Amino acid sequence: MASTEGLHAARARGRNTRQLVHELLRSRIISLDLEPGAALSENDLAAELGVSRTPVRESLILLGEEGLVDVYPQLGTFVSRIRERDVASAQFIREALECAALRDGVTKATAHDVAELRALLVAQTEAEQREDPEAFFRLDEQFHARLMAAGGHAEAWPVVSQAKAQLDRARRLSLPLTQQLSLLISQHTAVVDQLEQHDPHGADQALRGHLRQVFTDVETIRAQHPELFSDTDAPVRPRRDTRRGTRVPDADAG
């Protein structure tokens, strides 16, 4: 649920408003619709979403606990800039869980599992040919979730998905900037090939190499867009822009 229309439709079906607002704002931050450093106003967001300030305020608190927003009393709330420590931590969790699931997949995966994974590879290639990184990102998520399911660990995917929010922001940036969809597809293909051959070492090596690609990508992205990153582990404290009377993230604080 990533749209205001979707929020209202879900509310009509009786879903909790705070949960829906949290999901929507989280999705907008991860998709970079709300970029690192963007100021967030409770009043503006409530008006835009057609809800009261309370679910917005509660959602921002939850997003702060996830490290996706930084809250400063008397200054405001801002989308956090990407911290490499957070990317590394998310990658550690993802690699540990996905590689553990793959080890089981090498012995448990069926021909049906492999066929579904290869169908996703075909769809990814089609997304690349259409030059559609958003579709590719969704298919990439489906691929990794299906890979965990092949090992009998589908229920662990939501844990991975929740943990890798910071990582996903870097990944979103990397798709249009590094022009490497074909590389990612070839890496996915290598994982499936090793899985089908029941080669635990080869499968593990292929998946670890693929997942660690993000560190190279982060360096490329940071060189092009340093303003989206923080150089320290501490949040970037905003400062007031006296020329416009607004508050903006302090570029010198990172």
Side-chain angles (χ1 to χ4, degrees):
M1 191 280 299
S3 68
T4 302
E5 293 78 9
L7 182 148
H8 294 311
R11 288 181 72 194
R13 294 194 298 270
R15 288 196 61 193
N16 179 271
T17 300
R18 184 191 68 178
Q19 181 182 3
L20 292 168
V21 171
H22 173 253
E23 289 176 2
L24 178 56
L25 293 179
R26 189 177 189 273
S27 175
R28 290 181 63 184
I29 290 172
I30 292 174
S31 69
L32 305 176
D33 179 48
L34 293 172
E35 292 189 349
L40 302 174
S41 163
E42 286 184 14
N43 288 333
D44 290 348
L45 288 171
E48 177 186 346
L49 300 178
V51 299
S52 69
R53 289 179 58 188
T54 299
V56 173
R57 183 183 308 114
E58 293 173 344
S59 297
L60 292 176
I61 291 172
L62 291 175
L63 292 168
E65 292 174 352
E66 293 182 68
L68 293 174
V69 303
D70 296 326
V71 182
Y72 300 92
Q74 287 80 51
L75 285 175
T77 301
F78 300 82
V79 177
S80 66
R81 290 202 284 176
I82 298 171
R83 294 185 282 271
E84 291 190 32
R85 176 199 64 182
D86 295 335
V87 172
S89 295
Q91 174 61 22
F92 176 81
I93 294 170
R94 181 178 195 187
E95 184 174 320
L97 292 177
E98 288 201 41
C99 288
L102 183 63
R103 285 195 294 274
D104 289 338
V106 167
T107 58
K108 294 181 179 180
T110 65
H112 178 69
D113 292 325
V114 173
E116 290 201 345
L117 288 165
R118 293 205 184 279
L120 287 169
L121 294 176
V122 171
Q124 289 171 12
T125 300
E126 293 171 349
E128 179 199 15
Q129 292 170 347
R130 295 195 307 272
E131 298 183 351
D132 188 347
E134 283 299 311
F136 182 89
F137 186 89
R138 292 191 297 271
L139 289 163
D140 181 82
E141 292 288 283
Q142 293 174 34
F143 175 85
H144 285 276
R146 189 65 186 83
L147 197 61
M148 292 195 75
H153 297 287
E155 71 283 352
W157 176 251
V159 178
V160 175
S161 184
Q162 180 71 23
K164 66 187 182 69
Q166 296 285 7
L167 183 62
D168 283 344
R169 291 204 290 169
R171 291 173 59 226
R172 287 272 189 173
L173 282 167
S174 74
L175 292 182
L177 292 178
T178 56
Q179 299 295 314
Q180 59 165 2
L181 298 189
S182 60
L183 171 62
L184 298 179
I185 293 169
S186 68
Q187 291 174 344
H188 286 167
T189 301
V191 173
V192 178
D193 288 345
Q194 297 300 318
L195 179 70
E196 187 173 29
Q197 294 168 22
H198 306 291
D199 182 346
H201 177 73
D204 183 83
Q205 291 295 105
L207 182 58
R208 287 185 192 277
H210 167 63
L211 295 178
R212 292 177 183 180
Q213 178 69 40
V214 71
F215 294 122
T216 300
D217 295 343
V218 164
E219 291 305 312
T220 301
I221 300 160
R222 190 185 185 105
Q224 297 184 44
H225 292 280
E227 74 279 4
L228 301 180
F229 290 80
S230 172
D231 289 331
T232 68
D233 289 341
V236 178
R237 184 172 181 79
R239 59 176 172 79
R240 181 178 293 277
D241 187 336
T242 56
R243 294 170 299 172
R244 293 179 293 177
T246 58
R247 297 180 183 111
V248 298
D250 189 344
D252 297 329

